[in-house]
């Protein structure tokens, strides 16, 4: 499938997947509470999804190297639809947990396989742009999804889950009809002869996986605590917070969709990753100065812009550097991302209990660590990487 035709299709696919995913975000706590979940059980309900993604994303990435991208993407989207439907029909807490486990297991196929598809169809020069477009679709889905979920939840808490399921099944048929396979039968055959998964985490590339872990850890710590921080510092309520996260999501999506491709082409992924880390660290520092709706929106957007530079550039650089297949590599990257999302919220909450500014100070320190890791990566690969880590 030609790149010019495939990238808009992948954008639409990831946008629809994330709209479905985002629809349930504002509703989930109230829905779980209605069924009888305690705050601890709600936390576990959220964590179990990320845990399944941590465990199974590398497996799905590896499978997509062997059988092709399209069937694995379809499995992921269909699994997501089934899990939303089961959640909508849940009457007991165990049913909700079963739906989340199933959803996490099957939907962990989506992100790594779509990123591997992008790596299949783009030249090394345009890889950053392709990864940025997928990142922008994810961001836009998270902007629109929660807004839709919030609107329809006023009628019934079940409706957003049925809507999310419908969105997933529509996306499934869209992929079935429109998306063409990116791997030839020969490429799928040669995947069996490629380096095993552990090779994806060998040598200097291991630094990039750890860098992504620190970025994910600091982001999820912020997301888990900012509502309390903003209420304390600026007296902001849930509706205002919804708008603030929407503005942050838009800022990140615009950067990923418009700027990442141009900058990686001009300066290489390495430079863009470093710029992103520095901007993120500045964003964390500014967040400490929050005193109103507009300052919160501005400072979080600075952070969102920095964050928007990092993920697509890391994905692009890893697919160029790793000895393993694209699917194995992007699957492992998704796994590290999920690991950060599991540890980040409880760690952020624990730090917040000590002092409300600590999650953001630790975010600055994690950014510094990520920056140091990149310098180590750059030093170790200087001779082979050339321009793309400038």
């Amino acid at each position: 499938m030609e790149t010019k035709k495939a990238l808009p299709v992948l954008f639409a696919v990831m946008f629809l997947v994330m709209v479905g995913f985002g629809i349930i975000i504002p509703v989930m706590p109230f829905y779980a509470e209605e069924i009888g979940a305690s705050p601890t059980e709600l936390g576990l309900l959220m964590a179990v999804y990320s845990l399944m993604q941590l465990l199974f994303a590398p497996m799905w990435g590896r499978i997509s190297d062997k059988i092709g991208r399209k069937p694995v993407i379809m499995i992921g989207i269909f699994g997501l639809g089934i899990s939303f439907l089961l959640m909508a029909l849940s009457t007991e807490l165990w049913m909700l947990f079963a739906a989340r486990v199933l959803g996490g297991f099957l939907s962990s196929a989506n992100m790594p396989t779509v990123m591997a598809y992008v790596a299949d169809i783009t030249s090394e020069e345009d890889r950053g742009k392709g990864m940025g477009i997928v990142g922008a679709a994810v961001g836009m889905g998270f902007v629109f999804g929660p807004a839709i979920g919030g609107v329809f939840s006023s009628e019934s808490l079940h409706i957003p889950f049925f809507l999310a399921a419908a969105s997933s099944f529509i996306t499934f048929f869209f992929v079935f009809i429109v998306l063409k396979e990116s791997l030839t039968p020969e490429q799928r055959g040669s995947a069996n002869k490629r380096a095993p998964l552990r090779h994806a985490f060998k040598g200097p590339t291991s630094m990039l996986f750890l860098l992504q872990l620190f970025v994910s850890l600091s982001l999820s710590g912020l997301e888990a605590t900012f509502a309390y921080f903003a209420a304390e510092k600026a007296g902001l309520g849930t509706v205002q917070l919804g708008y603030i996260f929407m503005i942050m999501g838009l800022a990140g999506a615009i950067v990923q969709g418009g700027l990442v491709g141009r900058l990686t082409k001009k300066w290489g992924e390495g430079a863009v990753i470093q710029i992103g880390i520095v901007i993120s660290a500045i964003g964390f520092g500014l967040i400490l100065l929050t005193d109103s709706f507009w300052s919160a929106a501005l400072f979080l957007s600075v952070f969102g812009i920095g964050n928007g530079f990092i993920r697509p550039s890391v994905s692009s650089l890893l697919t160029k550097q790793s000895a393993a297949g694209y699917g194995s590599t992007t699957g492992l990257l998704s796994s590290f991302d999920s690991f950060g999302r599991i540890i980040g919220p409880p760690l952020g909450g624990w730090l917040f209990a000590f002092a409300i500014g600590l999650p953001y100070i630790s975010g600055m320190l994690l950014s510094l660590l990520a920056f140091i890791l990149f310098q180590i990566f750059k030093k170790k690969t200087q001779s082979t990487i050339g321009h793309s880590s400038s």
Side-chain angles (χ1 to χ4, degrees):
M1 197 168 184
E2 288 173 42
T3 306
K4 280 182 181 174
K5 289 178 186 171
L7 282 177
V9 172
L10 291 175
F11 179 91
V13 168
M14 284 314 288
F15 174 73
L16 288 167
V17 164
M18 288 302 161
V19 163
F21 194 82
I23 283 171
I24 70 161
I25 286 173
V27 193
M28 191 70 180
F30 306 106
Y31 190 70
E33 198 176 32
E34 196 180 75
I35 288 175
S38 67
T40 306
E41 285 165 334
L42 174 64
L44 288 171
L45 204 56
M46 295 302 196
V48 77
Y49 187 87
S50 292
L51 178 64
M52 299 308 282
Q53 300 221 312
L54 163 74
L55 296 172
F56 293 105
M59 178 197 83
W60 288 117
R62 187 88 175 134
I63 289 170
S64 81
D65 283 338
K66 290 182 179 178
I67 69 167
R69 313 296 183 209
K70 184 173 175 174
V72 177
I73 292 170
M74 287 172 69
I75 289 167
I77 294 167
F78 192 76
L80 203 57
I82 292 290
S83 77
F84 289 145
L85 195 57
L86 290 174
M87 284 161 85
L89 301 170
S90 292
T91 52
E92 307 261 342
L93 193 56
W94 70 264
M95 295 165 83
L96 213 48
F97 268 101
R100 290 290 281 174
V101 167
L102 181 72
F105 166 58
L106 292 173
S107 75
S108 61
N110 289 325
M111 195 60 173
T113 314
V114 167
M115 289 196 301
Y117 193 117
V118 170
D120 294 335
I121 62 166
T122 51
S123 64
E124 291 209 349
E125 194 185 19
D126 286 324
R127 184 87 36 93
K129 178 187 176 184
M131 296 295 183
I133 285 169
V134 170
V138 171
M140 293 300 281
F142 270 124
V143 168
F144 288 100
I148 296 166
V151 168
F152 284 95
S153 63
S154 56
E155 291 295 316
S156 158
L157 290 179
H158 293 263
I159 290 174
F161 292 94
F162 284 117
L163 276 175
S167 169
S168 299
F169 292 133
I170 289 164
T171 312
F172 173 82
F173 286 110
F174 176 70
V175 169
F176 179 69
I177 295 161
V178 178
L179 194 70
K180 295 192 168 58
E181 179 54 59
S182 61
L183 290 180
T184 62
E186 294 76 39
Q187 286 169 318
R188 280 170 259 168
S190 70
N192 298 315
K193 303 180 189 84
R194 278 199 196 123
L197 183 61
R198 66 177 180 275
H199 281 248
F201 193 67
K202 234 183 174 184
T205 53
S206 60
M207 299 297 157
L208 295 178
F209 289 109
L210 292 171
L211 184 155
Q212 186 58 45
L213 171 65
F214 290 151
V215 169
S216 176
L217 193 61
S218 60
L219 169 65
S220 57
L222 180 151
E223 287 173 340
T225 58
F226 189 74
Y228 305 115
F229 182 82
E232 182 102 0
K233 284 279 206 171
L236 301 179
T238 50
V239 176
Q240 290 165 305
L241 279 164
Y243 285 124
I244 287 166
F245 277 108
M246 193 185 269
I247 293 164
M248 170 186 156
L250 272 172
I254 290 164
V255 161
Q256 291 185 82
L259 269 178
V260 167
R262 287 176 200 171
L263 295 181
T264 51
K265 211 172 200 177
K266 193 174 180 183
W267 297 326
E269 286 86 353
V272 178
I273 290 167
Q274 290 170 90
I275 290 166
I277 293 169
V278 170
I279 295 172
S280 290
I282 292 167
F284 273 123
L286 289 172
I287 286 166
L288 295 167
L289 309 175
T290 298
D291 62 358
S292 67
F293 172 84
W294 290 112
S295 64
L298 176 65
F299 300 155
L300 267 191
S301 294
V302 170
F303 170 79
I305 287 166
N307 214 262
F309 279 126
I310 300 168
R311 174 67 193 253
S313 306
V314 169
S315 309
S316 174
L317 193 51
L318 267 173
T319 55
K320 293 180 183 181
Q321 290 289 303
S322 178
Y326 292 153
S328 295
T329 303
T330 54
L332 195 60
L333 184 63
S334 289
S335 217
F336 273 83
D337 224 12
S338 298
F339 190 38
R341 285 203 302 274
I342 293 167
I343 306 168
L347 180 64
W350 182 70
L351 290 169
F352 187 88
F354 273 101
I356 66 169
L358 264 186
Y360 317 108
I361 293 165
S362 74
M364 292 168 77
L365 291 173
L366 284 167
S367 299
L368 177 64
L369 279 173
F371 194 83
I372 291 166
L373 280 173
F374 190 82
Q375 301 316 308
I376 296 167
F377 167 79
K378 195 162 82 165
K379 203 169 182 185
K380 287 188 174 182
T381 55
Q382 205 88 54
S383 54
T384 56
I385 194 171
H387 169 67
S388 58
S389 71
S390 59

